[in-house]
Amino acid sequence: MTDLAIYDMDRTVTRYATYTPFLLHCARRRQPWRLALTPVAAVSMVIYTAKLIDRARLKEINHALMLGHLVQPSQLRPLVESFADKTVAANIRPGARDAIARDTSEGRRLVLATASYRLYAEAIAERLGFDDVVATGSVVGLGEKLVARIEGENCYGPAKKRMIDIWLEAEGLTGKHGHVRFYSDHVSDAPVFEWSDEPVAVNPHGRLRRLAQARGWRIEDWG
C-alpha cells in the first residue's frame, strides 16, 4: 500500500500566495496594457468581500482581466515556466523543502492539492519533486484556447476533499492507499485534515491554530 503526503500550496509550501503574482507576471510580460485594469480587479475583490460573488467567479474575472478571455496555452507556456522558476527560487518555505525531502525518503507519493490553477501549479510541483497534482482546472475551448472559466470546481474548502477523492478513484487508490499525511496553513482545509491520518498545521492562522490545538494536531513552523 502506498503512503501519501498531501500538501496545500499557497502559504503552506510557499510563503506567499501565488495566484495574483502569476496573473501580474503574465500581464506585465505579455500585454502590459492589462495592468491598467488592476483597479477593475480591485473592484471585483470588493464585490467578493461583500459576498456577491464566490471565489471561483472572482478567479474567472481576474483571469479574463489579466490574461484575456481566450488565450493559446503556447503563448503562456514560457511565462508559466519563468513564473515557476521565480517561485521555486524565492517563495518556498525552508521547512517545506525539508518535509518534501523527508516524505520522499520515506517512499511516500507526494501530491500537491491546491486551489491555484493547474496551469502553473504543475510546473511548480514538477520542480519540487511532486508526483501528482490536484488543482483548479481551466476550460479549454475551440481551437484549444484556454477560456477564463473554471472547469469543474474551484479546488478549495470541501471541494478540495471531493477532488482528492476523485483523484484517488482515478488512480485506483480508493480504499487501497496507506497512511495519509496532510499539510496546510488554512482552516478551509478542515475536511482534508479530518480525513487524513496525520494532519499537520503549517504556520497556521488563528482559526486553524485553535482547531489544531483542540484536535491535538501537530503544529509546525516552516519559516
Side-chain angles (χ1 to χ4, degrees):
M1 297 182 75
T2 302
D3 292 337
L4 305 176
I6 304 178
Y7 293 68
D8 173 52
M9 185 170 76
D10 283 9
R11 296 191 177 95
T12 301
V13 171
T14 65
R15 287 192 178 94
Y16 313 109
T18 58
Y19 182 62
T20 298
F22 170 71
L23 295 180
L24 294 175
H25 178 88
C26 291
R28 190 176 294 115
R29 288 160 177 77
R30 179 170 167 265
Q31 294 176 321
W33 63 266
R34 289 188 177 276
L35 297 177
L37 300 176
T38 52
V40 182
V43 170
S44 71
M45 176 59 74
V46 172
I47 295 172
Y48 164 73
T49 303
K51 299 184 178 179
L52 299 177
I53 58 173
D54 61 15
R55 279 178 174 266
R57 185 58 186 143
L58 176 67
K59 281 185 174 181
E60 290 172 342
I61 290 169
N62 289 328
H63 179 153
L65 290 171
M66 295 293 109
L67 300 183
H69 183 66
L70 293 171
V71 59
Q72 288 286 358
S74 59
Q75 296 175 352
L76 292 181
R77 177 50 52 190
L79 302 174
V80 166
E81 297 295 335
S82 60
F83 180 75
D85 287 340
K86 181 179 178 180
T87 299
V88 171
N91 191 21
I92 304 298
R93 294 188 186 276
R97 295 185 186 276
D98 294 340
I100 290 167
R102 179 189 65 230
D103 290 335
T104 300
S105 71
E106 291 178 2
R108 292 179 180 271
R109 187 166 174 175
L110 272 60
V111 183
L112 191 66
T114 174
S116 296
Y117 276 126
R118 175 180 293 277
L119 173 65
Y120 68 88
E122 282 187 331
I124 295 171
E126 180 181 5
R127 285 158 171 75
L128 293 174
F130 281 86
D131 301 297
D132 300 274
V133 175
V134 176
T136 302
S138 302
V139 169
V140 178
L142 295 175
E144 298 298 311
K145 290 184 178 180
L146 278 179
V147 181
R149 217 166 62 239
I150 288 173
E151 181 181 31
E153 293 191 278
N154 182 36
C155 189
Y156 180 83
K160 182 179 288 189
K161 174 59 168 59
R162 290 192 291 270
M163 292 174 73
I164 290 172
D165 289 341
I166 291 168
W167 173 80
L168 288 169
E169 184 174 2
E171 294 295 315
L173 293 173
T174 303
K176 299 179 182 179
H177 61 78
H179 181 275
V180 178
R181 184 179 289 153
F182 176 64
Y183 308 95
S184 177
D185 73 296
H186 201 270
V187 73
S188 63
D189 283 324
V192 187
F193 275 119
E194 297 283 6
W195 162 77
S196 67
D197 300 298
E198 188 180 342
V200 184
V202 176
N203 295 80
H205 68 131
R207 286 180 61 197
L208 177 57
R209 183 174 294 276
R210 291 190 292 274
L211 180 62
Q213 290 169 339
R215 295 284 199 274
W217 299 340
R218 190 162 81 249
I219 296 173
E220 293 187 354
D221 183 343
W222 282 3

